[in-house]
Amino acid sequence: MVSTNFINNNQIKLQLGIPSAFCLILFFLLFSDLAFGLSSQTKTGVTYAAASIAGSVGGWSGSANAISSNDVYAIPTANMPNNGDYTDYLKITNFQFTIPTGSVITGIVVNVERSDANGKSKDSEVKVIKAGSIGTTNKALSPAWGSSDAVQTYGANSDIWGNTWTVADINATNFGFAFSAKRVGGGGQATLAKIDEVIITVYYTTPLPIDLIYFRAQNEDKSVDLFWETATETNNDFFTIERSLDGINFESIANIKGAENSSIALTYQFTDTNPLSGTSYYRLKQTDYDGQSELFNSVAVNHEEVGVDLVNLQITSSIFSESFTITFNQITNELITISLFDLSGHSVYSSTNQTTKGYNAFTFSSIELLKSGTYILILRNENKILAATKVIYSN
């Protein structure tokens, strides 16, 4: 389970309307250190080979020249003299990825630098290779290649090319890319198809050192109690409690020893005996034994007002293929609208639900409304945005 970070309701100005509020949320979720991390590795292949296609006019010469952008090219062995002629696959494998164990593969991007000085070549088949087999998803594009070298991008950081992937699939020597070209139109000019470089970038999320179940604040008469629970811990040295008056500038007020490694649920508590007056914010930070740290969601509490309205949002998984469930706590009965937005800000789903005081749960399973990609999940009542988080749908 990937731990979820979200923007606390008190950090979003109430006068913002949906469009501007969404832009602010998107900025924080995509670019803030508080957003769950999307990592990537970029590699060039080592092994080059031909793979025949029935009816082709031939393969490629100098195929290993596609290893670097140096104006030394892989070229077809035949000129494809007739309209519709096509080549065999240029098959590139052994990209030597080292994606960390336990990561979730979210997308594959292939960049191909190619050209045809006579403008007579175009894509025929553009596919990835899994376990040594060329896939069925073809991302060939229609336009003819330009006369000078240009990089064409295929795929995206949320595009898995119609496959499901494990880390072992990507790190395997038989993972790779297959490409063929074809002729555009007739005429006496020969094709001058050239490929200078092929690069693959794989995007993934990595399991976090701790799986945080919740982080909560409870206002008392003369103090603020903080509670949190972890499902698992790996190489966890200590937690840091941070406090802020404005929700932006935080100071450390305590360190609490972690369990190092644990596969069972563990609960922690810290009491701030000298809380700030008025509304303040608390944030949890976790630090590994190697010095790497991670920030989690902040929560707000008003020390002058018992029973502050907090939504402690938890989600079963930030990456889902069939459904996900969110849980949150309310101190009042009220209508809550749960919405999904794509990254352009368009609403793709909205549901208004009557919540009750205490524990609430909502399961989203309307996957027929979605395309594979990243979405922003927002909870709001009639007055304000309460919480937001990022989710990835991978079919």
Side-chain angles (χ1 to χ4, degrees), residues 129-293:
I129 299 170
K130 177 182 178 181
S133 298
I134 297 173
T136 58
T137 298
N138 184 8
K139 293 194 175 292
L141 302 175
S142 296
W145 299 359
S147 59
S148 58
D149 287 357
V151 175
Q152 179 61 58
T153 298
Y154 307 90
N157 62 9
S158 59
D159 185 347
I160 56 174
W161 296 61
N163 282 297
T164 56
W165 299 91
T166 66
V167 169
D169 293 331
I170 301 295
N171 292 346
T173 57
N174 57 6
F175 166 75
F177 177 69
F179 186 91
S180 68
K182 65 181 177 182
R183 183 183 178 94
V184 181
Q189 287 183 314
T191 55
L192 295 176
K194 300 184 294 184
I195 296 180
D196 199 8
E197 184 178 39
V198 175
I199 298 174
I200 294 182
T201 300
V202 175
Y203 292 85
Y204 59 94
T205 58
T206 305
L208 300 173
I210 69 167
D211 185 354
L212 183 68
I213 299 174
Y214 62 81
F215 176 58
R216 297 171 183 159
Q218 180 175 312
N219 191 28
E220 301 293 344
D221 288 341
K222 297 182 180 181
S223 64
V224 172
D225 290 334
L226 301 166
F227 307 89
W228 65 101
E229 182 176 358
T230 62
T232 61
E233 299 183 27
T234 303
N235 194 36
N236 179 28
D237 188 2
F238 62 91
F239 297 97
T240 301
I241 299 296
E242 298 183 339
R243 187 179 64 189
S244 169
L245 188 60
D246 58 8
I248 299 173
N249 301 296
F250 284 83
E251 62 174 349
S252 299
I253 61 172
N255 288 335
I256 294 89
K257 185 65 178 175
E260 185 173 358
N261 296 298
S262 172
S263 59
I264 61 174
L266 298 175
T267 57
Y268 296 84
Q269 179 180 353
F270 171 77
T271 298
D272 183 1
T273 58
N274 188 30
L276 301 175
S277 179
T279 299
S280 58
Y281 302 83
Y282 292 89
R283 187 169 69 182
L284 186 67
K285 178 181 178 181
Q286 176 271 331
T287 302
D288 293 348
Y289 278 94
D290 58 9
Q292 298 295 312
S293 60

Side-chain angles (χ1 to χ4, degrees), residues 50-60 86-91 179-181:
S52 61
I53 303 176
S56 76
V57 296
W60 295 79
Y86 53 90
T87 70
D88 285 335
Y89 287 116
L90 171 59
K91 184 179 177 182
F179 186 91
S180 68

Side-chain angles (χ1 to χ4, degrees), residues 328 332-337 351-357 360-361:
F328 51 93
T332 59
N333 301 331
E334 65 176 333
L335 290 174
I336 296 293
T337 299
S351 174
T352 300
N353 304 270
Q354 177 64 56
T355 61
T356 58
K357 180 179 179 180
N360 291 266

Side-chain angles (χ1 to χ4, degrees), residues 39-47 92-101 103 105 107-111 128-130 161 165-177 198-204:
S39 303
S40 66
Q41 290 185 16
T42 300
K43 304 283 186 178
T44 56
V46 174
T47 303
I92 309 172
T93 54
N94 194 12
F95 279 76
Q96 300 184 345
F97 282 99
T98 55
I99 308 297
T101 300
S103 299
I105 308 302
I108 298 172
V109 172
V110 181
N111 286 323
V128 291
I129 299 170
K130 177 182 178 181
W161 296 61
W165 299 91
T166 66
V167 169
D169 293 331
I170 301 295
N171 292 346
T173 57
N174 57 6
F175 166 75
F177 177 69
V198 175
I199 298 174
I200 294 182
T201 300
V202 175
Y203 292 85
Y204 59 94

Side-chain angles (χ1 to χ4, degrees), residues 16 18 29 39 75 88 124 130 135 260 322 342:
L16 290 175
I18 283 291
L29 288 177
S39 303
I75 60 175
D88 285 335
S124 178
K130 177 182 178 181
E260 185 173 358
E322 295 181 356
D342 62 26

